[in-house]
Amino acid sequence: MSELLVINNLHASIQGKEILRGVNLTIRAGEVHAIMGPNGAGKSTLSAVLTGNPQYEVTAGEVWLKGKNLLEMPPEQRAREGVFLSFQYPVEIPGVSMVNFMRTAVNEKRKYEGKEPLSATAFLKLMREKKQLLEMADKLNNRSVNEGFSGGEKKKNEIFQMAMLEPCLRILDETDSGLDIDALRIVAEGVNRLKTPDNASIVITHYQRLLDYIVPDYVHVLANGQIVKTGGKELALELEEKGYADFE
Amino acid sequence: MLTLNKGERQELVFINEPQLDLHIQQQEGSSLRVIVINSQFSILNSIEVHHVGTGCHTEIYALAYLKNKESVRTHTHVHHDVGGGTSKQVIKFVLDDEAQGEFLGELKILPNAQQVQAEQTNRNLLLSEKATMRTRPQLEIYADDVKASHGATTGQLDESALFYMQQRGIDAPTARRMLIQAFMQDIAEQISDEGKRNQLLQTIDGVVE
């Protein structure tokens, strides 16, 4: 299997405070990697740095996506290259409708790939198909992005957008937080059905619960800004039992 | 002085009117909607409305999108002289470069004007560090059985929304444009005349570059 993402000695800080202190991680196409760890270990910082959030500064290291230097790209280019983040806290955008938002995103990506924009009919058909996958209501199109959505609706909406954009690297940041068991099942099934041999997932979570549904090939423990332990899916169960005390 | 007769309904739309000085009197049960849009010139908009009959309804929507050193002052005077009426004001400014905005909103509810509902909202978006906004709500309420609310906020584009949009592959200038349009959209939607509404939407598209 080919290497999709290679992270070498990644250091990053926010407002002068170092959070990531030398992260090394290689992810191949088709794999699911879980990243677990205590609060404040740098889990969300890793997702922010990979997606180019301007609040964080990379102070050392490199990240390669399919052989391209990811850290040199602006956030939108990373997205068009196939990096997708399911946000822990999806942002509400009053006045921007879901249909306008998604059509712009899909067509900007197509333009980047040298494809023609989708016609209005083809686009709406695609929206309808993907909504069904997440069991979402039809009235979604004209609602403002995430505005007034419940916690569960917001997370479903993230995975819906993921379905629309078909990324190669899917980063799920605490996707299970705030979800009841039914929403969790729908979201996890959506993620699993969108899995292909060509994409890979990074599942960031504090709890083992989500990993019952999205089964990882590898589990990494991130503590104090470094990956301190790597194992198979059984490591998640061990962490659930023992907690993170050994790593703090 | 313009008078709305008993039960009359009027919608007045002013798009880039070089000077606006409105004095309107509303008689019983009349309904008025004023929409004022500015995207050029430096001017003063003055709008004065008196409810002289009971059960009148007034809506004032004003939007200014200004660049360079343009300056727009919007002054509203809504006087509930008698009771049972409602008024709603939504005033928005989008200020770029060194543009200046001013909103003065006088809302007066006289002592025997009971059971009035009045609402005044002023929201401003600053796109440049050199743009300035002055806002001065002035509520004078002399009746006790009324509902009056006002709110004024001035801020910048939401950085977290910008990043969210970029994370979905939308480049920064396009994301900014979409957010600015979203901020102005609800005013445009108030215009019931389709031709005028489209004219305004085009004006908005034209200025947001």
Side-chain angles (χ1 to χ4, degrees):
Chain A
M1 282 189 287
S2 62
E3 286 173 353
L4 184 73
L5 184 78
V6 179
I7 302 175
N8 281 331
N9 189 35
L10 185 63
H11 290 249
S13 53
I14 183 165
Q15 292 168 343
K17 187 173 182 252
E18 189 170 52
I19 309 284
L20 298 184
R21 304 157 192 257
V23 173
N24 294 292
L25 181 64
T26 297
I27 295 178
R28 285 171 289 271
E31 292 177 348
V32 176
H33 290 245
I35 296 186
M36 303 183 73
N39 286 324
K43 301 191 298 291
S44 287
T45 300
L46 181 61
S47 69
V49 169
L50 291 177
T51 50
N53 188 319
Q55 291 186 315
Y56 294 84
E57 191 193 352
V58 175
T59 51
E62 46 193 31
V63 181
W64 302 92
L65 179 78
K66 294 192 213 169
K68 292 181 185 168
N69 187 342
L70 194 69
L71 298 179
E72 280 185 349
M73 301 176 192
E76 57 268 32
Q77 192 183 351
R78 299 182 196 200
R80 293 170 194 167
E81 287 283 350
V83 177
F84 182 93
L85 171 61
S86 170
F87 283 67
Q88 183 178 3
Y89 303 108
V91 182
E92 298 194 5
I93 315 179
V96 175
S97 70
M98 272 304 297
V99 70
N100 187 18
F101 176 63
M102 260 354 286
R103 190 165 49 214
T104 308
V106 166
N107 283 335
E108 294 247 336
K109 185 172 192 225
R110 291 179 66 88
K111 190 164 77 184
Y112 184 75
E113 292 166 342
K115 295 177 187 163
E116 292 290 308
L118 282 182
S119 71
T121 325
F123 176 78
L124 289 173
K125 184 164 171 274
L126 185 68
M127 285 263 295
R128 202 160 47 237
E129 277 172 25
K130 304 297 185 185
K131 269 189 295 196
Q132 279 167 1
L133 184 70
L134 276 304
E135 302 180 20
M136 292 172 89
D138 249 355
K139 61 185 181 199
L140 175 79
N141 291 19
N142 294 318
R143 288 180 71 180
S144 291
V145 179
N146 292 323
E147 192 187 28
F149 285 30
S150 69
E153 282 178 318
K154 281 182 180 166
K155 294 300 172 83
K156 277 190 203 173
N157 193 22
E158 294 295 286
I159 306 306
F160 163 71
Q161 293 173 45
M162 191 173 96
M164 292 293 291
L165 293 166
E166 300 181 334
C168 63
L169 180 66
R170 319 175 318 161
I171 306 169
L172 310 181
D173 190 0
E174 306 276 1
T175 293
D176 50 337
S177 70
L179 287 188
D180 62 35
I181 202 75
D182 290 328
L184 180 65
R185 179 187 52 76
I186 293 167
V187 162
E189 276 175 11
V191 172
N192 289 335
R193 281 166 68 180
L194 295 165
K195 189 179 170 191
T196 72
D198 298 321
N199 63 31
S201 307
I202 297 176
V203 182
I204 294 170
T205 181
H206 192 77
Y207 302 103
Q208 196 268 338
R209 184 176 78 147
L210 179 63
L211 304 179
D212 286 338
Y213 296 89
I214 303 172
V215 180
D217 300 299
Y218 299 94
V219 174
H220 308 278
V221 179
L222 186 68
N224 289 316
Q226 289 184 327
I227 289 178
V228 293
K229 190 169 185 180
T230 294
K233 63 181 179 212
E234 67 287 346
L235 177 56
L237 291 167
E238 197 182 306
L239 290 167
E240 184 82 355
E241 203 177 306
K242 292 188 183 168
Y244 295 107
D246 293 352
F247 304 103
E248 280 172 304
Chain B
M1 171 82 72
L2 176 71
T3 299
L4 263 64
N5 296 320
K6 187 177 171 181
E8 194 181 339
R9 306 173 71 84
Q10 275 258 27
E11 179 173 298
L12 306 172
V13 181
F14 303 95
I15 299 179
N16 283 325
E17 196 81 8
Q19 191 73 19
L20 192 63
D21 192 11
L22 280 179
H23 296 266
I24 299 171
Q25 213 174 55
Q26 289 188 240
Q27 291 183 346
E28 190 185 335
S30 64
S31 184
L32 169 72
R33 179 184 277 186
V34 180
I35 298 164
V36 183
I37 312 293
N38 299 105
S39 65
Q40 48 184 294
F41 309 131
S42 292
I43 64 151
L44 169 67
N45 295 312
S46 180
I47 302 158
E48 184 174 331
V49 179
H50 283 265
H51 285 191
V52 296
T54 57
C56 295
H57 180 63
T58 304
E59 290 173 34
I60 300 174
Y61 299 96
L63 169 68
Y65 186 115
L66 307 173
K67 293 179 179 180
N68 305 317
K69 291 192 172 179
E70 289 163 349
S71 128
V72 163
R73 293 178 293 153
T74 296
H75 296 179
T76 64
H77 308 269
V78 174
H79 292 204
H80 292 268
D81 298 346
V82 298
T86 60
S87 66
K88 178 182 176 181
Q89 302 180 56
V90 181
I91 315 292
K92 290 188 173 186
F93 282 82
V94 181
L95 303 170
D96 205 346
D97 303 324
E98 295 175 46
Q100 298 188 328
E102 179 184 285
F103 169 58
L104 184 152
E106 185 195 53
L107 176 67
K108 214 179 229 183
I109 305 178
L110 292 186
N112 50 4
Q114 300 294 355
Q115 301 206 319
V116 161
Q117 284 190 38
E119 186 187 326
Q120 185 193 82
T121 308
N122 173 221
R123 291 185 61 206
N124 312 303
L125 186 57
L126 302 182
L127 301 178
S128 136
E129 288 186 358
K130 288 187 174 166
T132 54
M133 179 70 209
R134 289 159 54 91
T135 177
R136 198 147 59 101
Q138 203 173 308
L139 276 66
E140 294 178 43
I141 298 164
Y142 302 105
D144 48 17
D145 184 18
V146 299
K147 268 190 199 161
S149 67
H150 82 99
T153 56
T154 298
Q156 289 147 2
L157 281 181
D158 180 355
E159 292 291 330
S160 60
L162 271 178
F163 178 68
Y164 188 79
M165 296 171 86
Q166 284 178 278
Q167 211 305 301
R168 299 304 186 241
I170 301 171
D171 62 58
T174 305
R176 282 171 64 87
R177 194 158 64 232
M178 288 170 76
L179 290 176
I180 296 167
Q181 279 167 349
F183 181 83
M184 303 192 289
Q185 189 90 2
D186 59 338
I187 301 257
E189 283 165 2
Q190 299 302 329
I191 302 177
S192 46
D193 182 302
E194 197 179 336
K196 281 184 184 162
R197 188 169 61 237
N198 288 336
Q199 185 196 341
L200 173 59
L201 289 170
Q202 278 169 12
T203 309
I204 288 176
D205 278 345
V207 291
V208 186
E209 286 301 338

